[in-house]
Structures are given as structure tokens and as C-alpha cells.
Amino acid sequence: MDPLKPESFNHRTEVLSTGRAYHFVDQLPVDYDPKRHPTLLCVHGFPDLWYGWRYQIGPWVRRGCRVVVPDMLGYGGSAKPTDAEEYTSKKLCADLAALLDVLGIVIGHDWGSYIAGRFALWQPDRLLALIMLSVPYTPPTREYIPLTEVVKRAPNLGYQLYFNDQKSSHEIPSHLGKFVSLMFADVSQYGDKQPDFTPKGALEKILADSKTPIGLPTILNDTERAYYIQEFGKGMHGPLNYYRTSQYRHEEELAARLPAALSADLPYLFIWGTHDPTATPFVINKARKFISKYQDIAIEGRGHWLMVEAKDEVTKHISEWLEHLTCSHPREVSKL
């Protein structure tokens, strides 16, 4: 398993019981026994792929875990439905449950964190523990707030209006090199000069502006960057559909009367970078109110893409937490 060689991982593509085809990496430890080895289901965010977990898969497998890492719906080699309503958290969680034939530990990053949190609500009996990176847990709400209103309250989410607009599905593929550079920017090399794509209208202007260089400094090396551009070149409509599901998600959650709090006995870990603008003290403190077994780890000086920026720290912290979980909950782990 070489992080710079995607082909060195064990790739599978299966049609799930939900009827949708998923591409995923499925790595088994030596002498794998489902009764002894826990399954880690790693869920990536936007814009990412299974490849976002490339530095963690090998160490966790060598630790004795089975690691399953899908291209989420709409990405890479997985199915790419056109309609946004196919990307609701309820349907995505059903797909993830279909990937698991046993209880497991779900680990999410960015959008994957949000989906992992909802997995704990939609599929609570399929979960042994929950780990979220970068994006804190947010509970379901009884009131639907349109995205336009959300952006008024939080202007730094203005880019989501562009993602919500159908035109972004066609415009972003025309500027993939610049888009990847912006999303995976190396903040340490920018200082205060980093192009700010977050306000309303900013991202589309930056992408269309010929004066903005394509080769901006990123946290990716040339091999990694080329792989992302190759895979995103298969289409961006599916990944962007995640931003077009807010009302569908709200209606499903309201109809199901999903609880706001996670199960009281669910072990929970949140890992965040102190330089990540998505992990603010306000949202972190809000999340604590709904999680009984809340634990968190702040990684100093790191930004949003923790699996790359802090690859060794993430691998170490989660491995140690899993070791503690195994020792503290031997009966539950024996079910895996």
C-alpha cells in the first residue's frame, strides 16, 4: 500500500443491496477474522475521494483493522445519479450500511463527517464508535433555513450558493487545475495573500479570472494533484449535488423524527485543526451538548485537510483511541 500509487491498494466495485454501484478500497489485515478485527469505514468529504485516506489505510490495517474506504456517491468510480435528491444523508447512510456486513467504526472528514454523524442517527445499530474530523456534529433541526438565509448569517459560506447553482457543474470542470489548487491550498505558503473564495460570488470570479495562476501552492505533490484532477475529470455534478440536498435532508429527518442527540453510550472522538475555519469554538461547543461521550483532540497549527497536513498525528491519535476503545469495550469489539 503505497500512498503515491493508488493501484497498490485493493480496489473493488460492487452493486450494493441499495441498487447503487460503489467503488471502494477494501484492505484486510493478515489472518483476518471478522470476530477479532474491527472494521473501519472511512468517509471522505468535498472535494475528495477514497484517496484522501491514503496515508492512514496502511497503518490501520497493520494495526489489525479491516479498512473500507469508498468513493462516495457521485465521485470517482462510484455511481453518479443526476438528481440531487439521490444524495440525501438517509440514502447515503443506507449505502454505507450496505457496505458493512458487521458492526463497525465510522470515521468521517468534512462532508464525510456530516454523513458519519447522520449515520449514527439513521443506522445506530450498525455503529460501534464514531470519529469525526474537521467538521463538528450538528443536530437535526425542526425549522428549515434556506441557504440564502444561512449565507446571510455566515457570509464565509457564500461559496455554497455557487455550488448549489447548476452552472457550477459545468463551469468547474473547465477550471479543474485552479479549482484543485484552491481547495487544497497550502495556507502556510500564502500567509494573508491566499485568494479568499468563501464570500458570495468570489469563487466563480477567481476561477474565471485568467490572472489567478493555476499552479498555486497546495498540500499535494504533483502525483497526488494529478490523480485528483484525473478523477474529478470524470464529472463534478455528483459531488456538487451534496450541496443541493438541504431541503430534502430536512424533510426526511423531520418525517423520521430523528433525535438531536447521539446515543448516550456511543464512544465519540472529534479531531480538528486549530487553523481550520470550519471548526470554530462556537460550533464545537454546540456539538458537545448533544454527545454524552464527547472527546476531542485539537492539532495545533493545522488546517482543514488533516489526513494530509497532519497525517502522522491523525494516524497516531486514532490508533491510540481505538486501542483504548478495544480495551474498554472488549465485549462490543468481539461482535465485530
Side-chain angles (χ1 to χ4, degrees), residues 16 21 56 84 111 113 117-118 128 151 154 169 207 214 248-249 251 257 277 282 296 315:
L16 307 180
Q56 285 74 43
W111 254 105
S113 271
R118 287 304 186 265
L128 174 65
V151 171
S169 294
L207 291 176
I214 294 176
Y248 298 126
R249 284 185 277 116
E251 291 173 355
R257 297 183 178 180
F282 174 78
D296 74 344
T315 301

CSV table of all heavy atoms in Angstrom, one decimal, residues 16 21 56 84 111 113 117-118 128 151 154 169 207 214 248-249 251 257 277 282 296 315:
chain,number,residue,atom,x,y,z
A,16,LEU,N,-24.5,-2.6,-4.6
A,16,LEU,CA,-24.9,-2.8,-3.2
A,16,LEU,C,-26.4,-3.2,-3.2
A,16,LEU,O,-27.1,-3.2,-4.2
A,16,LEU,CB,-24.7,-1.5,-2.4
A,16,LEU,CG,-23.3,-0.9,-2.4
A,16,LEU,CD1,-23.3,0.4,-1.5
A,16,LEU,CD2,-22.3,-1.9,-1.9
A,21,ALA,N,-24.0,1.2,-7.5
A,21,ALA,CA,-22.7,0.7,-7.6
A,21,ALA,C,-21.7,1.6,-6.9
A,21,ALA,O,-21.7,2.8,-7.1
A,21,ALA,CB,-22.3,0.5,-9.0
A,56,GLN,N,-3.5,6.8,6.0
A,56,GLN,CA,-4.0,6.1,7.2
A,56,GLN,C,-4.3,4.7,6.9
A,56,GLN,O,-4.2,3.9,7.9
A,56,GLN,CB,-5.2,6.8,7.7
A,56,GLN,CG,-5.0,8.2,8.4
A,56,GLN,CD,-4.7,9.3,7.5
A,56,GLN,OE1,-5.3,9.4,6.4
A,56,GLN,NE2,-3.7,10.1,7.8
A,84,ALA,N,-30.4,15.6,-7.5
A,84,ALA,CA,-29.8,15.9,-6.2
A,84,ALA,C,-30.5,15.1,-5.0
A,84,ALA,O,-29.8,14.8,-4.0
A,84,ALA,CB,-30.0,17.4,-5.9
A,111,TRP,N,-17.5,16.8,4.6
A,111,TRP,CA,-18.9,16.3,4.3
A,111,TRP,C,-19.0,14.9,4.9
A,111,TRP,O,-20.1,14.4,5.3
A,111,TRP,CB,-19.2,16.3,2.8
A,111,TRP,CG,-20.1,17.4,2.4
A,111,TRP,CD1,-19.8,18.5,1.7
A,111,TRP,CD2,-21.5,17.4,2.6
A,111,TRP,NE1,-20.9,19.3,1.5
A,111,TRP,CE2,-22.0,18.6,2.0
A,111,TRP,CE3,-22.5,16.5,3.2
A,111,TRP,CZ2,-23.3,19.0,2.0
A,111,TRP,CZ3,-23.8,16.9,3.2
A,111,TRP,CH2,-24.2,18.1,2.6
A,113,SER,N,-17.8,13.8,7.6
A,113,SER,CA,-18.1,13.9,9.0
A,113,SER,C,-19.6,14.1,9.2
A,113,SER,O,-20.2,13.5,10.1
A,113,SER,CB,-17.3,15.1,9.6
A,113,SER,OG,-16.1,14.8,10.1
A,117,GLY,N,-22.0,11.6,11.1
A,117,GLY,CA,-22.9,11.9,12.2
A,117,GLY,C,-24.3,11.5,12.0
A,117,GLY,O,-25.0,11.0,12.9
A,118,ARG,N,-24.8,11.6,10.7
A,118,ARG,CA,-26.1,11.2,10.4
A,118,ARG,C,-26.2,9.7,10.4
A,118,ARG,O,-27.3,9.1,10.7
A,118,ARG,CB,-26.5,11.8,9.0
A,118,ARG,CG,-26.8,13.3,9.1
A,118,ARG,CD,-27.9,13.6,10.1
A,118,ARG,NE,-28.4,15.0,10.1
A,118,ARG,CZ,-27.9,15.9,10.9
A,118,ARG,NH1,-26.9,15.6,11.8
A,118,ARG,NH2,-28.3,17.1,10.9
A,128,LEU,N,-20.3,0.9,16.2
A,128,LEU,CA,-19.6,0.7,17.5
A,128,LEU,C,-19.1,2.0,18.1
A,128,LEU,O,-19.1,2.2,19.3
A,128,LEU,CB,-18.5,-0.3,17.3
A,128,LEU,CG,-17.6,-0.6,18.5
A,128,LEU,CD1,-18.4,-1.2,19.6
A,128,LEU,CD2,-16.4,-1.4,18.0
A,151,VAL,N,-26.3,31.9,4.4
A,151,VAL,CA,-25.2,32.7,4.0
A,151,VAL,C,-25.3,34.2,4.5
A,151,VAL,O,-24.2,34.8,4.8
A,151,VAL,CB,-25.1,32.8,2.4
A,151,VAL,CG1,-24.1,33.8,1.9
A,151,VAL,CG2,-24.8,31.4,1.9
A,154,ALA,N,-23.9,33.6,7.9
A,154,ALA,CA,-22.5,33.2,7.9
A,154,ALA,C,-21.9,33.5,6.5
A,154,ALA,O,-21.9,32.6,5.6
A,154,ALA,CB,-22.4,31.7,8.2
A,169,SER,N,-21.7,22.9,-12.0
A,169,SER,CA,-21.4,21.6,-12.5
A,169,SER,C,-20.7,21.6,-13.9
A,169,SER,O,-19.9,20.7,-14.2
A,169,SER,CB,-22.7,20.7,-12.7
A,169,SER,OG,-23.3,20.5,-11.4
A,207,LEU,N,-12.2,31.6,-10.4
A,207,LEU,CA,-12.0,30.5,-11.4
A,207,LEU,C,-11.9,31.1,-12.8
A,207,LEU,O,-11.1,30.6,-13.7
A,207,LEU,CB,-13.1,29.5,-11.3
A,207,LEU,CG,-13.2,28.6,-10.1
A,207,LEU,CD1,-14.4,27.7,-10.1
A,207,LEU,CD2,-11.9,27.8,-10.0
A,214,ILE,N,-2.8,29.0,-12.1
A,214,ILE,CA,-3.3,27.7,-11.9
A,214,ILE,C,-2.5,26.9,-10.9
A,214,ILE,O,-2.9,26.2,-10.1
A,214,ILE,CB,-3.4,26.9,-13.3
A,214,ILE,CG1,-4.4,27.5,-14.2
A,214,ILE,CG2,-3.7,25.4,-13.1
A,214,ILE,CD1,-4.4,26.9,-15.6
A,248,TYR,N,-34.2,18.5,1.0
A,248,TYR,CA,-34.6,17.1,1.0
A,248,TYR,C,-34.2,16.4,2.3
A,248,TYR,O,-34.9,15.6,2.9
A,248,TYR,CB,-33.8,16.3,-0.1
A,248,TYR,CG,-34.2,16.8,-1.5
A,248,TYR,CD1,-33.2,17.2,-2.4
A,248,TYR,CD2,-35.5,16.8,-2.0
A,248,TYR,CE1,-33.5,17.6,-3.7
A,248,TYR,CE2,-35.8,17.2,-3.3
A,248,TYR,CZ,-34.8,17.6,-4.1
A,248,TYR,OH,-35.1,18.0,-5.4
A,249,ARG,N,-32.9,16.7,2.8
A,249,ARG,CA,-32.4,16.2,4.1
A,249,ARG,C,-33.3,16.6,5.2
A,249,ARG,O,-33.7,15.8,6.1
A,249,ARG,CB,-31.0,16.6,4.3
A,249,ARG,CG,-30.0,15.9,3.4
A,249,ARG,CD,-28.6,16.3,3.8
A,249,ARG,NE,-28.1,17.6,3.2
A,249,ARG,CZ,-27.8,18.7,3.8
A,249,ARG,NH1,-27.9,18.8,5.1
A,249,ARG,NH2,-27.5,19.8,3.2
A,251,GLU,N,-36.5,17.5,5.2
A,251,GLU,CA,-37.8,16.8,5.2
A,251,GLU,C,-37.7,15.4,5.6
A,251,GLU,O,-38.6,14.9,6.4
A,251,GLU,CB,-38.4,17.0,3.8
A,251,GLU,CG,-38.7,18.4,3.4
A,251,GLU,CD,-39.1,18.5,1.9
A,251,GLU,OE1,-39.0,17.5,1.2
A,251,GLU,OE2,-39.6,19.6,1.5
A,257,ARG,N,-38.4,12.0,12.5
A,257,ARG,CA,-38.3,12.5,13.9
A,257,ARG,C,-36.9,12.0,14.5
A,257,ARG,O,-36.8,11.5,15.6
A,257,ARG,CB,-39.4,12.0,14.8
A,257,ARG,CG,-40.8,12.5,14.4
A,257,ARG,CD,-41.9,12.1,15.3
A,257,ARG,NE,-43.2,12.6,14.9
A,257,ARG,CZ,-44.3,12.4,15.5
A,257,ARG,NH1,-44.3,11.6,16.6
A,257,ARG,NH2,-45.4,12.9,15.1
A,277,PRO,N,-10.9,27.1,9.6
A,277,PRO,CA,-12.0,28.0,9.8
A,277,PRO,C,-13.4,27.3,9.9
A,277,PRO,O,-14.3,27.9,10.4
A,277,PRO,CB,-12.0,28.9,8.5
A,277,PRO,CG,-11.3,28.0,7.5
A,277,PRO,CD,-10.3,27.2,8.2
A,282,PHE,N,-17.5,28.1,18.6
A,282,PHE,CA,-19.0,28.1,18.7
A,282,PHE,C,-19.6,26.8,18.3
A,282,PHE,O,-20.4,26.2,19.1
A,282,PHE,CB,-19.6,29.3,17.9
A,282,PHE,CG,-21.1,29.3,17.9
A,282,PHE,CD1,-21.8,29.7,19.0
A,282,PHE,CD2,-21.8,28.7,16.8
A,282,PHE,CE1,-23.2,29.7,19.0
A,282,PHE,CE2,-23.2,28.7,16.8
A,282,PHE,CZ,-23.9,29.2,17.9
A,296,ASP,N,-12.4,15.2,22.3
A,296,ASP,CA,-11.8,15.9,21.2
A,296,ASP,C,-10.3,16.1,21.3
A,296,ASP,O,-9.8,16.0,22.4
A,296,ASP,CB,-12.5,17.2,20.8
A,296,ASP,CG,-12.2,18.3,21.8
A,296,ASP,OD1,-11.6,18.0,22.9
A,296,ASP,OD2,-12.4,19.5,21.5
A,315,THR,N,-3.1,9.5,12.2
A,315,THR,CA,-3.0,8.1,12.4
A,315,THR,C,-2.7,7.7,13.8
A,315,THR,O,-3.3,6.7,14.3
A,315,THR,CB,-1.8,7.6,11.5
A,315,THR,OG1,-2.0,8.0,10.1
A,315,THR,CG2,-1.6,6.1,11.5
